Amino acid sequence: MSKGPTVNLLDEVRGAWGWVGIEPVELIDANDFGNVILKDVRGQYWRLSPEDLYCEVVASSREELDRLSKDQEFLTDWYMRGLVDQAFQQLGALAPGRKYCLKLSVID
């Protein structure tokens, strides 16, 4: 029996980011650039941002997360609409299970 994608993601986060103190138990949300919000064993909510290389607590309870989800500054940052629109124009629609990612080019 194979693991589902959510279980694999939780295992990946645990292995790659466990050093920051996260012990994820549930995927709450993911955006089109692969940022995720995860719930941990203590009921805290973490945001993992691969492009900015951080994984940090954004809410210490479900109530705090609900308040955060109404904060316009957070929502603008979370949905990354400008970047998503640019990526869509350049690369087209995302296939199921895929995310956009930022790559930096090195120019000599």
Side-chain angles (χ1 to χ4, degrees), residues 61-71:
S61 66
R62 184 62 204 208
E63 294 77 23
E64 267 188 43
L65 183 64
D66 290 343
R67 280 193 299 276
L68 187 62
S69 71
K70 295 174 186 161
D71 180 282

Side-chain angles (χ1 to χ4, degrees), residues 5-7 9-10 13-14 17 22-41 43-51 54-71 73-80 99:
T6 299
V7 173
L9 174 67
L10 296 177
V13 170
R14 201 173 289 111
W17 288 94
I22 188 171
E23 296 178 58
V25 294
E26 183 181 357
L27 172 65
I28 303 300
D29 200 5
N31 71 18
D32 286 341
F33 269 91
N35 283 224
V36 293
I37 294 179
L38 302 153
K39 182 178 179 183
D40 77 2
V41 295
Q44 296 177 313
Y45 295 84
W46 296 68
R47 180 176 178 177
L48 191 156
S49 176
E51 76 276 357
Y54 73 79
C55 185
E56 62 189 24
V57 174
V58 292
S60 59
S61 66
R62 184 62 204 208
E63 294 77 23
E64 267 188 43
L65 183 64
D66 290 343
R67 280 193 299 276
L68 187 62
S69 71
K70 295 174 186 161
D71 180 282
E73 186 176 333
F74 175 80
L75 292 173
T76 297
D77 185 55
W78 174 253
Y79 286 110
M80 305 169 80
K99 302 292 181 188

